[in-house]
Amino acid sequence: MALADFPRGVEKQVALAHDAGLMVHMDGARFANALVSQQYTASEMSWKAGIDALSFGATKNGALACEAVIFFDRLNAASLPYQRKRGGHTLSKGRFLGAQMAAYLENGHWLDLAGRANGHARRLAQGLAKVPGTRMPWPCEVNEIFAILPRKIDAALKAGGALYYPWRFRDFAAKCTPPAEDEVFVRLVTSFASQASEIDRFIATALAATAK
Ligand SMILES: *Cc1c(COP(=O)(O)O)cnc(C)c1O
């Protein structure tokens, strides 16, 4: 099936897999960020939408090397300990990594961290929107921003110590014209550990580069 024919919407994609006798795994590396942003419940975003297995990420949201693999039907999890070992993911004293999950989930800490990361991204997107020559193909919904920057702004940001990478532009319903020769398409990611002052410095550096 060509990508263009792939049905849009998670329910349709889940149905397509289930009709073919396949199970559906959701990569939830940023599950918390999506949940906080979209105001769904965790169940609506997983088993109620037909997801069979979820990798519930904690590493990108503050933990050290800690993810939970959740099967919504216990029977499907029967072989996981063996698969995990064969995949080289069974660590000795792994319980010390796993112990982070208790603190992560307690009192909604995981949601607070994600809300903080998303808030930093919003601050960055609002700042970038005021930088002349910069445009964003999609609205900022989680802790990631995709932006088209003039090359001279990109150079000034890199010279100022900003760390980010170029991203391949694909036209997935982008709401702006693709990057031109003198522009670069980048992905910017904020985290629980970002500082508002760093974001403000990033924007100030970009603004100073346009003024030159
Ligand atoms: C980081 C990560 C990804 C990539 O996620 P991005 O949002 O593109 O950074 C995918 N899967 C897992 C398990 C990850 O940890």
Side-chain angles (χ1 to χ4, degrees), residues 30-40 45 114 118 141-143:
R30 298 186 193 276
F31 191 82
N33 302 88
L35 191 150
V36 166
S37 160
Q38 301 301 309
Q39 320 223 314
Y40 287 118
M45 272 179 50
N118 289 3
E141 292 178 325
V142 284
N143 61 327

Side-chain angles (χ1 to χ4, degrees), residues 42-64:
S43 57
E44 284 166 344
M45 272 179 50
S46 56
W47 62 270
K48 284 186 183 164
I51 302 298
D52 299 292
L54 168 71
S55 47
F56 176 63
T59 305
K60 291 219 173 69
N61 197 27
L64 171 70

Side-chain angles (χ1 to χ4, degrees), residues 25-165:
H25 161 240
M26 174 183 274
D27 182 335
R30 298 186 193 276
F31 191 82
N33 302 88
L35 191 150
V36 166
S37 160
Q38 301 301 309
Q39 320 223 314
Y40 287 118
T41 64
S43 57
E44 284 166 344
M45 272 179 50
S46 56
W47 62 270
K48 284 186 183 164
I51 302 298
D52 299 292
L54 168 71
S55 47
F56 176 63
T59 305
K60 291 219 173 69
N61 197 27
L64 171 70
C66 180
E67 319 276 308
V69 182
I70 301 169
F71 288 88
F72 296 102
D73 180 343
R74 186 177 284 275
L75 289 179
N76 292 331
S79 67
L80 184 74
Y82 305 100
Q83 287 171 345
R84 185 181 61 188
K85 192 153 194 174
R86 288 178 69 174
H89 280 265
T90 301
L91 300 178
S92 32
K93 312 293 186 301
R95 60 189 177 278
F96 291 120
L97 294 176
Q100 297 171 97
M101 203 45 94
Y104 186 64
L105 294 174
E106 202 170 286
N107 298 325
H109 187 45
W110 63 299
L111 300 172
D112 291 342
L113 291 170
R116 184 182 288 248
N118 289 3
H120 286 311
R122 259 195 319 276
R123 185 185 187 98
L124 183 54
Q126 283 162 2
L128 274 180
K130 294 186 189 123
V131 177
T134 295
R135 50 197 203 284
M136 287 167 273
W138 303 289
C140 166
E141 292 178 325
V142 284
N143 61 327
E144 297 191 353
I145 295 166
F146 295 87
I148 298 169
L149 306 175
R151 286 197 185 273
K152 76 172 179 180
I153 292 184
D154 175 59
L157 289 168
K158 291 270 166 66
L163 198 62
Y164 58 86
Y165 299 99

